[in-house]
Amino acid sequence: MRIAEAWRVALDALRANRLRSLLTMLGVVIGVAAVVALVAIGTGTRQQIERQVEGLGSNLLIVVPGRLEAGAAPTSSPLTLDDVDAVNRIVGDPTRVAVTISSGETVRAGSRTGFASMQGVVETTPTVFVRRLDRGAYLTRTDVSTGRRVAVLGAGVSHDLFGDRDPIGRQITIGGVRFRVIGTFEALGQSLGVDRDSEVHVPVTAAQRLLGTARIDGLAIRAPDRERIAELSAAVVATLAERHPDTDFSAVTQEQILGVLGDILGVLTGVLAAIAGISLLVGGVGVSNIMLVSVRERTREIGLRKAVGARPRDIGVQFLLEAVLLTTTGGIIGLLLGAGTALLVDRLSPVPAALTWWSTALAFGVSAAVGIIFGVVPAQRAGRLDPVVALRAE
Amino acid sequence: MTPAIVATGVSRTYHLDGLDVPALRGVSLTVAAGDYVAVVGTSGSGKSTLMHLLGGLDRPTGGTLLIGGRDVATLSPDELAALRNTTIGFVFQSFHLLARTTAQDNVGLPLVYRGIGRRERRARAAAMLERVGLAHRTGHRPNQLSGGEQQRVAIARALVTGPSVLLADEPTGNLDSTTGGQVLELLESLNAEGVAVVLVTHDREVAARARRQIVMRDGLIVDAA
Ligand SMILES: Nc1ncnc2c1ncn2[C@@H]1O[C@H](COP(=O)(O)OP(=O)(O)OP(=O)(O)O)[C@@H](O)[C@H]1O
Ligand SMILES: [Mg+2]
């Protein structure tokens, strides 16, 4: 029997029981749709995180007190600007070191109020991290050393307080203290769930005075090249540990952050995909079941086909193709459904989704494989039917 | 000319719940090329069992059976299927047409298993339907045909591969006497063209029209004339 003929016969058989075929497909449809959508969301999220972490700039080393472990309690920072000087001496280039102390503060300009994440920083921030200005200028070394009350606004804060007007040179209050606006940042959007446009950068000295502390939260180093990251990281952590024997320090690189986030995401995606895979499996069992019913119902047809010269293989292939056709059709429908869901999620919710060719190919391949795996037993049974018994069947 | 079928001491025993049910107990029979044989006998005497064996649908449990000169015992299932396809044509009491398939495609079905393409199948099926007087029914499905027409479609299907033997198990059993008579005339005209016909019937008159008769009882041939 020609294979084209076998496909035709299979298609015909499925058409004969349209509703049943559709219901049988449903399990596969849902399974494939779930796999495609979940993988798309997982991939989209991963790509977004990668973009954002890479957006922090390359060769970046972030040093914070405490251990970087899931579930580790946040440690209050013992770091001060003296520690920064010590780190500067190790790095040998102060323009490669940035510091932060951050605090959520209410900001005001005239009658308008907003909420901002105040970042006490030094003048090196735009070079250590990648931050571009929209208007005005960034903080200077003098601003930092004298604790001048000047501020650079995130795009969101600028919009909240000034709308479309130019905020440069205007007065605002941060936590009730007056600052003068000297610049605004380009809009950045969300990063790791943090709205980076709500940041306001002020000199670290001014922030410390406002908060009544001499501490800083942490520091960041831009290593001159990739090879030196490990060495620098060890030296910095060792120095800080020596200066503060009671505290652990951790230094993380961009790769490590990506790695940890990727692992978490990978596990999450894996678990969800496994659940989706189980539904695919259940769908496959349904297909197997219906195919067995179909073999029984068409016993006489099988007997007749054998009587006129069908080999066991011809009958087996016919039923196997029927199962494969059932699951791949379900797979295609599921693919479209899953892709549609992913696109909708991407469009209508903050969760990003990205379709990849391999996940669609995989979904299709898996649905075909489900058809083969779960079609084999019914197909074999059909192929082995004794033609005499089949012809005598009622 | 080699006989179409030679059965020598053929037996067939069914195993049912650990019990041996002998349906045939040593049957010897030769169907010559172009022969016309009627098989009669009481219900349960083994007529259908014999027909299944003669057509290579089943294998004997004893004795030897040659179909077209080939010993059935030495053939693989695939070879047996090919033999059924090329040398045997079956006609059943209950027609056994595919319900959702047109008369033309029903007739062309055996050619599917020869790897013949659809266009040629349809052409050959149309010619066969014309031969059985159903040229005007090619597009009809079985439920749009009368019983006599359905049986003629089944005969066309049995003939489409150009077999040397037609095995008809009570082909008129579901038909009234007029349509049954038409079906018989068709079989006889085919026989006149050289196709051997083996016909199972309960009707003495029908049996009398054959060249020779075989009477069966309890799995044995008790009379042959
Ligand atoms: N699959 C089977 N298993 C067990 N016994 C069977 C089987 N098929 C047939 N038999 C038995 O074999 C015997 C012969 O059956 P068969 O169908 O050949 O009779 P028949 O002569 O064709 O009868 P009828 O005229 O009623 O069609 C019967 O006793 C029947 O019960
Ligand atoms: Mg019978």
Coordinates of all heavy atoms in Angstrom, one line a residue, chain A residues 1-2 5 8 12-13 15-16 300-301 303-315 318 386-388 390-393, chain B residues 12 14 48-49 52 57-58 77-78 81-82 84-85 90 92 94-98 100 109-110 112-113 115-118 121 157:
Chain A
M1 N 0.9 -1.2 0.0 CA 0.0 0.0 0.0 C 0.9 1.2 0.0 O 1.9 1.3 0.7 CB -0.9 0.0 1.2 CG -1.8 1.2 1.3 SD -3.2 1.1 2.4 CE -2.5 0.8 4.0
R2 N 0.5 2.2 -0.8 CA 1.3 3.4 -0.9 C 1.0 4.3 0.4 O -0.1 4.3 0.9 CB 0.9 4.3 -2.1 CG 1.3 3.6 -3.4 CD 0.9 4.5 -4.5 NE 1.4 3.9 -5.8 CZ 1.3 4.5 -7.0 NH1 0.8 5.7 -7.0 NH2 1.7 3.9 -8.0
E5 N -1.8 6.7 0.2 CA -3.1 6.1 0.4 C -3.4 5.9 1.8 O -4.5 6.1 2.3 CB -3.0 4.7 -0.4 CG -4.4 4.0 -0.4 CD -5.4 4.8 -1.2 OE1 -5.0 5.6 -2.1 OE2 -6.6 4.7 -0.9
R8 N -4.5 8.9 3.4 CA -5.9 9.3 3.0 C -6.9 8.4 3.8 O -7.9 9.0 4.3 CB -6.0 9.0 1.5 CG -7.3 9.5 0.9 CD -7.0 10.0 -0.5 NE -6.3 9.0 -1.3 CZ -5.5 9.3 -2.3 NH1 -5.3 10.5 -2.7 NH2 -4.9 8.3 -2.9
D12 N -9.6 9.9 6.5 CA -11.0 9.5 6.3 C -11.6 9.0 7.6 O -12.7 9.3 7.9 CB -11.1 8.4 5.2 CG -12.0 8.8 4.1 OD1 -11.8 10.0 3.7 OD2 -12.8 8.0 3.7
A13 N -10.9 8.1 8.2 CA -11.4 7.5 9.4 C -11.6 8.5 10.5 O -12.6 8.5 11.3 CB -10.4 6.4 9.9
R15 N -12.2 11.7 10.0 CA -13.3 12.5 9.6 C -14.7 11.9 9.9 O -15.6 12.5 10.2 CB -13.3 12.8 8.1 CG -12.3 13.9 7.7 CD -12.9 14.7 6.6 NE -11.8 15.4 5.9 CZ -11.3 15.1 4.7 NH1 -11.8 14.0 4.1 NH2 -10.4 15.8 4.2
A16 N -14.7 10.5 9.8 CA -15.9 9.8 10.1 C -16.4 10.0 11.5 O -17.6 10.0 11.8 CB -15.7 8.3 9.8
R300 N -14.5 -5.8 11.4 CA -15.0 -6.3 10.2 C -14.2 -5.7 9.0 O -13.9 -6.4 8.0 CB -16.5 -6.1 10.0 CG -17.3 -7.2 10.7 CD -18.7 -6.7 11.0 NE -19.4 -6.2 9.8 CZ -20.2 -7.0 9.1 NH1 -20.4 -8.2 9.4 NH2 -20.8 -6.5 8.0
E301 N -14.0 -4.4 9.1 CA -13.3 -3.7 8.0 C -11.9 -4.3 7.9 O -11.4 -4.5 6.8 CB -13.2 -2.2 8.3 CG -12.3 -1.4 7.3 CD -12.0 0.0 7.8 OE1 -12.8 0.6 8.5 OE2 -10.9 0.5 7.5
G303 N -10.9 -7.3 8.8 CA -11.0 -8.6 8.2 C -11.1 -8.5 6.7 O -10.5 -9.3 6.0
L304 N -12.0 -7.6 6.3 CA -12.2 -7.5 4.8 C -10.9 -7.1 4.1 O -10.5 -7.6 3.1 CB -13.3 -6.5 4.5 CG -13.4 -6.4 3.0 CD1 -14.2 -7.4 2.4 CD2 -13.8 -5.0 2.6
R305 N -10.3 -6.1 4.7 CA -9.0 -5.6 4.0 C -8.0 -6.7 4.0 O -7.3 -6.9 3.0 CB -8.4 -4.4 4.8 CG -9.2 -3.1 4.6 CD -8.6 -2.0 5.5 NE -9.4 -0.8 5.3 CZ -9.3 0.1 4.4 NH1 -8.3 0.0 3.5 NH2 -10.0 1.2 4.3
K306 N -7.9 -7.5 5.0 CA -7.0 -8.7 5.0 C -7.4 -9.7 3.9 O -6.6 -10.2 3.2 CB -6.9 -9.3 6.3 CG -6.2 -8.5 7.3 CD -5.7 -9.2 8.5 CE -4.6 -8.6 9.2 NZ -4.1 -9.3 10.3
A307 N -8.8 -9.9 3.8 CA -9.2 -10.9 2.8 C -8.9 -10.5 1.4 O -8.6 -11.3 0.6 CB -10.8 -11.0 2.9
V308 N -8.8 -9.2 1.1 CA -8.5 -8.7 -0.2 C -7.0 -8.5 -0.4 O -6.6 -7.9 -1.4 CB -9.3 -7.5 -0.7 CG1 -10.8 -7.8 -0.6 CG2 -9.0 -6.3 0.1
G309 N -6.2 -8.8 0.6 CA -4.8 -8.8 0.4 C -4.0 -7.9 1.2 O -2.8 -7.7 1.0
A310 N -4.6 -7.2 2.3 CA -3.8 -6.4 3.1 C -2.9 -7.2 4.0 O -3.3 -8.2 4.6 CB -4.7 -5.5 4.0
R311 N -1.6 -6.8 4.1 CA -0.7 -7.5 5.0 C -0.9 -7.0 6.4 O -1.4 -5.8 6.6 CB 0.8 -7.3 4.6 CG 1.1 -7.8 3.2 CD 2.4 -7.3 2.7 NE 2.3 -5.8 2.6 CZ 3.4 -5.1 2.2 NH1 4.5 -5.6 2.0 NH2 3.2 -3.8 2.1
P312 N -0.4 -7.7 7.4 CA -0.5 -7.2 8.8 C 0.1 -5.8 8.9 O -0.5 -4.9 9.5 CB 0.3 -8.2 9.6 CG 0.2 -9.5 8.8 CD 0.1 -9.1 7.4
R313 N 1.2 -5.6 8.2 CA 1.9 -4.3 8.2 C 1.0 -3.2 7.7 O 1.0 -2.1 8.2 CB 3.2 -4.5 7.4 CG 4.2 -3.4 7.6 CD 5.3 -3.6 6.6 NE 5.6 -5.0 6.4 CZ 6.2 -5.4 5.2 NH1 6.5 -4.6 4.3 NH2 6.5 -6.7 5.1
D314 N 0.3 -3.5 6.6 CA -0.5 -2.5 5.9 C -1.6 -2.0 6.9 O -1.8 -0.8 7.1 CB -1.3 -3.0 4.7 CG -0.3 -3.4 3.6 OD1 0.7 -2.6 3.4 OD2 -0.5 -4.4 2.9
I315 N -2.2 -2.9 7.6 CA -3.2 -2.6 8.6 C -2.6 -1.8 9.8 O -3.1 -0.8 10.2 CB -3.9 -3.8 9.2 CG1 -4.6 -4.6 8.0 CG2 -5.0 -3.5 10.2 CD1 -5.7 -3.9 7.3
Q318 N -1.8 1.7 8.8 CA -3.0 2.5 8.7 C -3.4 3.1 10.1 O -3.7 4.2 10.2 CB -4.1 1.7 8.1 CG -5.4 2.4 7.9 CD -6.5 1.5 7.6 OE1 -6.3 0.5 6.8 NE2 -7.7 1.8 8.1
D386 N -6.9 -11.9 13.5 CA -7.1 -13.0 12.6 C -8.2 -12.7 11.7 O -9.4 -12.3 12.1 CB -7.5 -14.2 13.5 CG -7.8 -15.5 12.7 OD1 -7.9 -15.3 11.4 OD2 -7.9 -16.5 13.3
P387 N -8.0 -12.7 10.3 CA -9.0 -12.2 9.4 C -10.3 -13.0 9.5 O -11.4 -12.4 9.3 CB -8.3 -12.4 8.0 CG -7.2 -13.3 8.3 CD -6.7 -13.1 9.7
V388 N -10.2 -14.3 9.8 CA -11.5 -15.1 9.9 C -12.3 -14.6 11.1 O -13.5 -14.3 10.9 CB -11.2 -16.6 10.0 CG1 -12.4 -17.4 10.3 CG2 -10.5 -17.1 8.8
A390 N -12.1 -11.7 12.4 CA -12.6 -10.4 12.1 C -13.8 -10.4 11.2 O -14.7 -9.6 11.3 CB -11.4 -9.6 11.5
L391 N -13.8 -11.3 10.2 CA -14.9 -11.3 9.2 C -16.2 -11.8 9.9 O -17.3 -11.5 9.5 CB -14.6 -12.2 8.0 CG -13.7 -11.5 7.0 CD1 -13.2 -12.5 6.0 CD2 -14.4 -10.4 6.3
R392 N -16.0 -12.7 10.9 CA -17.2 -13.3 11.5 C -17.8 -12.4 12.6 O -18.9 -12.6 13.0 CB -16.8 -14.6 12.3 CG -16.7 -15.8 11.3 CD -16.5 -17.1 12.2 NE -15.9 -18.2 11.5 CZ -16.7 -19.2 11.0 NH1 -18.0 -19.3 11.3 NH2 -16.1 -20.2 10.4
A393 N -17.0 -11.3 12.9 CA -17.4 -10.4 14.0 C -18.6 -9.7 13.6 O -18.9 -9.4 12.4 CB -16.3 -9.4 14.3
Chain B
R12 N -9.1 -28.9 10.3 CA -9.0 -27.6 11.0 C -9.7 -27.8 12.3 O -10.9 -28.1 12.4 CB -9.7 -26.5 10.2 CG -9.7 -25.1 10.9 CD -8.3 -24.6 11.1 NE -8.3 -23.2 11.5 CZ -8.1 -22.8 12.8 NH1 -8.0 -23.8 13.7 NH2 -8.1 -21.6 13.1
Y14 N -10.5 -26.0 16.0 CA -10.5 -24.8 16.8 C -10.3 -25.2 18.3 O -10.7 -26.3 18.7 CB -11.9 -24.1 16.7 CG -12.1 -23.5 15.3 CD1 -13.0 -24.0 14.5 CD2 -11.4 -22.3 14.9 CE1 -13.3 -23.4 13.2 CE2 -11.6 -21.8 13.7 CZ -12.6 -22.3 12.9 OH -12.8 -21.8 11.6
S48 N -18.1 -23.0 5.7 CA -17.4 -21.7 5.8 C -15.9 -21.9 6.2 O -15.0 -21.3 5.6 CB -18.1 -20.8 6.8 OG -19.4 -20.4 6.3
T49 N -15.7 -22.8 7.1 CA -14.4 -23.1 7.5 C -13.5 -23.6 6.3 O -12.4 -23.1 6.1 CB -14.4 -24.2 8.6 OG1 -15.2 -23.8 9.7 CG2 -13.0 -24.5 9.1
H52 N -12.7 -20.6 4.0 CA -11.6 -19.8 4.5 C -10.3 -20.4 4.3 O -9.3 -19.7 3.9 CB -11.8 -19.5 6.0 CG -13.0 -18.7 6.4 ND1 -13.8 -18.9 7.5 CD2 -13.6 -17.7 5.7 CE1 -14.8 -18.0 7.5 NE2 -14.7 -17.2 6.4
L57 N -7.3 -17.6 4.0 CA -7.6 -16.7 5.1 C -7.2 -17.3 6.4 O -7.0 -16.7 7.4 CB -9.1 -16.4 5.1 CG -9.6 -15.2 4.3 CD1 -11.1 -15.0 4.5 CD2 -8.9 -13.9 4.8
D58 N -7.1 -18.6 6.3 CA -6.8 -19.4 7.5 C -5.9 -20.6 7.1 O -5.8 -20.8 5.9 CB -8.2 -20.0 8.0 CG -8.1 -20.5 9.5 OD1 -7.0 -20.3 10.1 OD2 -9.1 -21.1 9.9
P77 N 2.9 -14.9 6.4 CA 1.7 -14.2 6.4 C 1.6 -13.2 5.2 O 0.6 -13.0 4.6 CB 1.7 -13.4 7.7 CG 2.5 -14.3 8.6 CD 3.6 -14.9 7.7
D78 N 2.8 -12.5 4.9 CA 2.8 -11.5 3.8 C 2.6 -12.2 2.5 O 1.8 -11.7 1.6 CB 4.1 -10.8 3.8 CG 4.1 -9.7 4.9 OD1 3.2 -9.7 5.7 OD2 5.1 -8.9 5.0
A81 N -1.0 -13.2 2.2 CA -1.8 -12.0 1.8 C -1.7 -11.7 0.3 O -2.7 -11.4 -0.3 CB -1.3 -10.8 2.7
A82 N -0.5 -11.8 -0.2 CA -0.3 -11.5 -1.6 C -1.0 -12.5 -2.5 O -1.6 -12.2 -3.5 CB 1.2 -11.5 -1.9
R84 N -3.8 -14.1 -1.6 CA -5.2 -13.8 -1.6 C -5.5 -12.7 -2.5 O -6.5 -12.7 -3.2 CB -5.6 -13.3 -0.2 CG -5.6 -14.4 0.9 CD -6.4 -13.9 2.1 NE -5.7 -12.8 2.9 CZ -4.9 -13.0 3.9 NH1 -4.6 -14.2 4.3 NH2 -4.4 -12.0 4.5
N85 N -4.6 -11.7 -2.6 CA -4.8 -10.6 -3.4 C -4.8 -10.9 -4.9 O -5.6 -10.4 -5.7 CB -3.7 -9.5 -3.1 CG -3.9 -8.2 -3.9 OD1 -3.3 -8.0 -4.9 ND2 -4.8 -7.4 -3.3
F90 N -13.1 -13.2 -3.0 CA -14.1 -13.6 -2.0 C -15.4 -12.9 -2.2 O -15.5 -11.7 -2.5 CB -13.7 -13.3 -0.6 CG -12.7 -14.3 0.0 CD1 -11.3 -13.9 0.0 CD2 -13.1 -15.5 0.5 CE1 -10.4 -14.8 0.6 CE2 -12.1 -16.4 1.0 CZ -10.8 -16.0 1.1
F92 N -19.0 -12.7 0.1 CA -19.6 -13.1 1.4 C -21.1 -12.9 1.4 O -21.6 -12.0 0.7 CB -19.0 -12.3 2.5 CG -17.5 -12.3 2.6 CD1 -16.8 -11.3 2.0 CD2 -16.8 -13.3 3.2 CE1 -15.4 -11.3 2.0 CE2 -15.4 -13.4 3.3 CZ -14.7 -12.3 2.6
S94 N -22.8 -11.5 3.7 CA -23.2 -10.2 4.2 C -22.4 -9.1 3.4 O -22.2 -8.0 4.0 CB -23.0 -10.1 5.7 OG -21.7 -10.5 6.0
F95 N -22.0 -9.3 2.2 CA -21.4 -8.3 1.3 C -20.0 -7.8 1.8 O -19.1 -7.7 1.0 CB -22.3 -7.2 1.0 CG -23.7 -7.5 0.8 CD1 -24.8 -6.8 1.4 CD2 -24.1 -8.7 0.1 CE1 -26.1 -7.1 1.2 CE2 -25.4 -9.0 -0.1 CZ -26.4 -8.2 0.5
H96 N -20.0 -7.3 3.1 CA -18.7 -6.7 3.6 C -18.2 -5.6 2.7 O -17.0 -5.6 2.4 CB -17.6 -7.8 3.7 CG -17.8 -8.6 5.0 ND1 -17.8 -8.1 6.2 CD2 -18.0 -10.0 5.1 CE1 -18.0 -9.0 7.1 NE2 -18.1 -10.2 6.5
L97 N -19.1 -4.6 2.5 CA -18.6 -3.4 1.8 C -18.2 -2.4 2.8 O -18.8 -2.4 3.9 CB -19.7 -2.9 0.9 CG -20.1 -3.8 -0.3 CD1 -21.3 -3.2 -1.1 CD2 -18.9 -4.1 -1.2
L98 N -17.3 -1.5 2.5 CA -16.9 -0.4 3.5 C -18.0 0.7 3.4 O -18.3 1.2 2.3 CB -15.6 0.2 3.1 CG -14.4 -0.7 3.2 CD1 -13.1 0.1 2.9 CD2 -14.3 -1.4 4.5
R100 N -18.6 3.8 4.3 CA -18.5 5.2 3.9 C -17.8 5.4 2.6 O -17.3 6.5 2.3 CB -17.8 6.0 5.0 CG -18.6 6.1 6.3 CD -17.8 6.7 7.5 NE -16.5 7.2 7.0 CZ -16.3 8.4 6.6 NH1 -17.3 9.3 6.5 NH2 -15.1 8.8 6.3
L109 N -10.6 -1.4 -3.8 CA -9.9 -1.6 -2.6 C -8.7 -2.7 -2.7 O -7.6 -2.4 -2.3 CB -10.8 -2.0 -1.5 CG -10.2 -2.2 -0.1 CD1 -9.7 -0.9 0.4 CD2 -11.2 -2.8 0.9
P110 N -9.0 -3.8 -3.4 CA -7.9 -4.8 -3.4 C -6.7 -4.3 -4.2 O -5.5 -4.7 -3.9 CB -8.5 -6.0 -4.2 CG -10.0 -5.8 -4.0 CD -10.2 -4.4 -3.9
V112 N -5.5 -1.3 -3.9 CA -4.7 -0.5 -3.0 C -3.5 -1.3 -2.5 O -2.4 -0.8 -2.3 CB -5.6 -0.1 -1.8 CG1 -4.7 0.4 -0.6 CG2 -6.6 1.0 -2.2
Y113 N -3.8 -2.6 -2.2 CA -2.7 -3.4 -1.6 C -1.8 -4.0 -2.7 O -0.9 -4.9 -2.4 CB -3.4 -4.5 -0.8 CG -4.1 -3.9 0.4 CD1 -5.5 -3.8 0.4 CD2 -3.5 -3.2 1.4 CE1 -6.2 -3.2 1.4 CE2 -4.2 -2.5 2.4 CZ -5.5 -2.5 2.4 OH -6.2 -1.8 3.3
G115 N -0.4 -1.5 -4.5 CA 0.3 -0.3 -4.8 C -0.1 0.4 -6.1 O 0.7 1.2 -6.6
I116 N -1.3 0.2 -6.5 CA -1.7 0.8 -7.7 C -2.3 2.2 -7.4 O -3.1 2.3 -6.4 CB -2.8 -0.1 -8.5 CG1 -2.0 -1.3 -9.0 CG2 -3.5 0.7 -9.6 CD1 -2.9 -2.4 -9.6
G117 N -2.0 3.2 -8.2 CA -2.4 4.5 -7.9 C -3.9 4.7 -8.1 O -4.6 3.9 -8.7
R118 N -4.4 5.8 -7.5 CA -5.9 6.0 -7.4 C -6.5 6.1 -8.8 O -7.6 5.6 -9.0 CB -6.1 7.3 -6.6 CG -7.6 7.5 -6.4 CD -7.9 8.1 -5.1 NE -7.6 9.5 -5.0 CZ -8.2 10.4 -4.2 NH1 -9.2 10.0 -3.4 NH2 -7.8 11.6 -4.1
R121 N -6.8 2.7 -10.3 CA -7.8 1.9 -9.5 C -9.2 2.3 -9.9 O -10.1 1.4 -10.2 CB -7.6 2.2 -8.0 CG -6.4 1.6 -7.4 CD -6.6 1.4 -5.9 NE -7.1 2.6 -5.2 CZ -6.3 3.5 -4.6 NH1 -5.0 3.4 -4.6 NH2 -6.9 4.5 -4.0
R157 N -15.6 -6.3 -6.9 CA -14.4 -6.2 -6.0 C -13.6 -7.5 -6.1 O -12.4 -7.4 -6.2 CB -14.8 -5.8 -4.6 CG -13.6 -5.7 -3.7 CD -14.0 -5.4 -2.2 NE -14.8 -6.5 -1.7 CZ -15.6 -6.4 -0.6 NH1 -15.7 -5.3 0.0 NH2 -16.3 -7.5 -0.2

